[in-house]
Amino acid sequence: MLPVPSLAVALALAAAAPTPAPVRPPVAPKSSPATVLVRSPKAGLPDLRAFLAEAGQWAPMLRPVEFGKALGAVLGTDLLDPAALQAAGADGEAPMSVSFLREATVVCLSTVKGGKALERARATLAGSGQPAKQAYKGAQLEGAVAAKVWRAGVATKGSAMCLASGGTDALAALKEAVDALGGQGLATSKAVRAAAGLDAPVMGYFQVPGGGGAFEIRAAKSSLELVGRAALEGQPLGKAKDGDVLVGLSAEAPMVLRAQLTPKAMADPGGAGASVLQFLASNACKGCDPVTSQAILAALKPELVGTVAALVEGIDPAGALQRPARYYLFPHAYVLPVKDPAKAEKALESSVKKLEGKGAKLTKLETAEGSAWSVALGDREVRVGVEKGVLFIGNHAGAVARMLGALGAAKPAKAEHAMSFTIDGPRATAALRRISIMDVPKSPELAGLFAVGVEIGSLLKAAKPITGWADPDGAALKFQAKLELNPVEPMGPAAGK
């Protein structure tokens, strides 16, 4: 499956504030397999408003009042409005954290004496389902239950309060928050270690299967920038090398990425480079198996230099329903430079013949230079070959042609970073808008992409190219990503303001 970076995570976060180093907030995602946490030294995320106000002209969900009310739904108030926070019984001068968990979104803050905040939360929960209470590790949990599931809830322990809503299991999310209140840490140990050297007032922490990391959040009126470190199992990036034929690779596509992999990552059967080849070898026929795919990798490995680039051509809604599932959702192409094209051609031809001998359907393609084959996967195809000094593999003929065409403008050099990517906002928006409301029930992936298109498609269209890079930093990775909005007047109701 092609790894495609999320387009929405960075747009839901906060902005840096010119204040002293923050106090640790009272929540930490620890057990969920994929989470994002943002902490701020001051409730209300005051320095987020400038960016949200600008971005909200294109994405209504990001307008300060809309975003604030969504976060403060359980309290029935706008969590980004200092006056509303105070009126709701929250301490606007104390730290606040927002955790985007799989189970729910959790906001933790401190309350002032008098119990007003808990009263407001109870009033909201009373209209949201059957009342429920539960004690957990010294905290009191209260929630609204529907169909035996906590749809929303609140946890209180002393002056600390955590609010959970907008997910599938508020009770599980509240228990995670209470675990953090007990001092079990801000995030996983890997994320904390990755944060070494990072200490901005507003920080983000994340964890994914295989690791975690942290990032400083820097924002201005028209830009959002993330600068961070990540500790991942089997850190895959190697140092940039001179003579990289993929340096300067540029194509008119929604996304282009290039990376220098370590020899270990390139040889790893589950690694980024090998997985591309193994997917093809494992799915080309009923008789194809892991042994076959490993043999193909072994034959080609001596000729690979470790650099890889990927291009995403767009989104194909029908591809989400193909077998293998989801492989054709994103039309894409990979290229991997080779040391000796003639030897690589010979190794590839030997490999595809082995696939054919096991029942794969192959068609030799005419090319201006090199060799290429079309491998049938059901009623679709994968194109693989050696041309212009690279091994290419793609699930879409147009993506392959675009990638090979872009190689003509690239000049061998030493890359500035081990990994770099560019997302073309307008083209990404056009790709997302290929998904219609009629596609939503067909698969969870289409439903999620449709929601992204509706919520932030116009914002992406208004953005300059979104860029990012990553480099090895000891056992970790350091990275940076930036979104900047064009200074143009948006279309729609907000344009008249």
Side-chain angles (χ1 to χ4, degrees):
M1 179 64 186
L2 181 69
V4 180
S6 168
L7 300 178
V9 171
L11 304 176
L13 304 182
T19 55
V23 178
R24 176 176 290 186
V27 69
K30 290 181 69 70
S31 64
S32 294
T35 62
V36 176
L37 174 148
V38 174
R39 68 162 168 80
S40 169
K42 198 171 184 180
L45 304 174
D47 295 282
L48 178 60
R49 296 188 69 88
F51 175 75
L52 288 181
E54 185 79 0
Q57 294 183 82
W58 288 273
M61 64 171 285
L62 294 180
R63 292 172 183 164
V65 64
E66 300 296 335
F67 193 47
K69 286 183 177 179
L71 292 178
V74 177
L75 273 184
T77 192
D78 179 355
L79 283 194
L80 299 187
D81 184 337
L85 269 173
Q86 183 177 352
D91 183 351
E93 299 299 318
M96 182 176 84
S97 67
V98 183
S99 298
F100 301 94
L101 311 183
R102 178 181 59 183
E103 299 86 0
T105 296
V106 179
V107 177
C108 286
L109 40 73
S110 295
T111 61
V112 297
K113 293 181 180 179
K116 183 185 293 186
L118 183 56
E119 291 177 5
R120 291 178 66 100
R122 284 171 173 167
T124 300
L125 295 173
S128 303
Q130 295 295 318
K133 290 185 178 182
Q134 188 176 131
Y136 180 74
K137 295 186 178 180
Q140 181 66 36
L141 279 53
E142 301 183 36
V145 178
K148 299 182 180 181
V149 176
W150 284 45
R151 300 301 183 186
V154 58
T156 54
K157 188 175 183 180
S159 63
M161 172 179 282
C162 294
L163 313 163
S165 62
T168 58
D169 190 349
L171 179 59
L174 289 173
K175 287 183 175 180
E176 283 201 50
V178 173
D179 288 342
L181 295 177
Q184 294 187 18
L186 182 63
T188 63
S189 58
K190 286 186 177 180
V192 172
R193 289 197 299 271
L198 302 175
D199 195 23
V202 179
M203 293 281 294
Y205 292 82
F206 66 91
Q207 61 189 66
V208 294
F215 49 90
E216 298 180 358
I217 305 171
R218 306 171 182 175
K221 180 181 177 182
S222 301
S223 65
L224 182 69
E225 188 173 12
L226 308 180
V227 179
R229 296 180 78 246
L232 306 174
E233 292 181 6
Q235 193 276 94
L237 295 183
K239 293 183 179 180
K241 299 179 180 178
D242 201 3
D244 185 347
V245 299
L246 301 181
V247 171
L249 183 69
S250 177
E252 295 180 351
M255 189 188 83
V256 179
L257 175 150
R258 61 150 297 282
Q260 178 68 49
L261 303 179
T262 64
K264 182 178 179 180
M266 182 59 73
D268 181 0
S275 62
V276 179
L277 298 170
Q278 289 201 92
F279 179 87
L280 171 63
S282 298
N283 291 277
C285 60
K286 292 183 178 179
C288 299
D289 52 33
V291 174
T292 306
S293 64
Q294 290 167 13
I296 292 177
L297 178 61
L300 290 168
K301 178 184 170 184
E303 299 307 319
L304 302 178
V305 301
T307 311
V308 60
L311 175 150
V312 178
E313 179 79 1
I315 297 174
D316 177 7
L321 309 179
Q322 296 291 318
R323 295 181 182 276
R326 299 179 298 279
Y327 178 68
Y328 289 97
L329 175 56
F330 296 99
H332 66 268
Y334 283 90
V335 292
L336 299 92
V338 296
K339 298 174 184 177
D340 186 324
K343 290 182 179 179
E345 282 185 50
K346 186 176 180 180
L348 179 62
E349 183 170 9
S350 174
S351 297
V352 296
K353 285 183 177 179
K354 289 180 181 178
L355 288 177
E356 192 169 32
K358 288 181 173 289
K361 297 179 180 179
L362 289 92
T363 303
K364 186 72 180 288
L365 302 175
E366 296 294 329
T367 61
E369 56 178 286
S371 303
W373 289 265
S374 169
V375 185
L377 267 67
D379 59 356
R380 297 279 184 123
E381 68 165 351
V382 171
R383 294 199 170 192
V384 59
V386 176
E387 190 171 335
K388 295 186 177 181
V390 300
L391 168 69
F392 69 83
I393 179 170
N395 68 356
H396 186 271
V400 170
R402 191 180 300 277
M403 178 66 98
L404 293 177
L407 287 173
K411 297 181 179 180
K414 185 175 182 179
E416 186 176 356
H417 299 287
M419 186 278 285
S420 59
F421 72 86
T422 301
I423 297 175
D424 185 305
R427 287 188 171 87
T429 298
L432 288 166
R433 288 180 175 168
R434 289 197 62 197
I435 304 172
S436 74
I437 189 67
M438 301 301 291
D439 294 316
V440 170
K442 296 178 182 178
S443 79
E445 291 79 17
L446 290 176
L449 289 169
F450 178 80
V452 171
V454 170
E455 293 173 351
I456 65 169
S458 295
L459 179 66
L460 291 173
K461 188 175 182 180
K464 297 179 180 180
I466 302 167
T467 59
W469 56 262
D471 284 315
D473 186 22
L477 296 175
K478 57 183 178 181
F479 62 87
Q480 184 172 338
K482 185 173 183 178
L483 177 151
E484 187 174 0
L485 298 173
N486 281 306
V488 295
E489 191 68 20
M491 300 294 290
K497 293 185 178 181

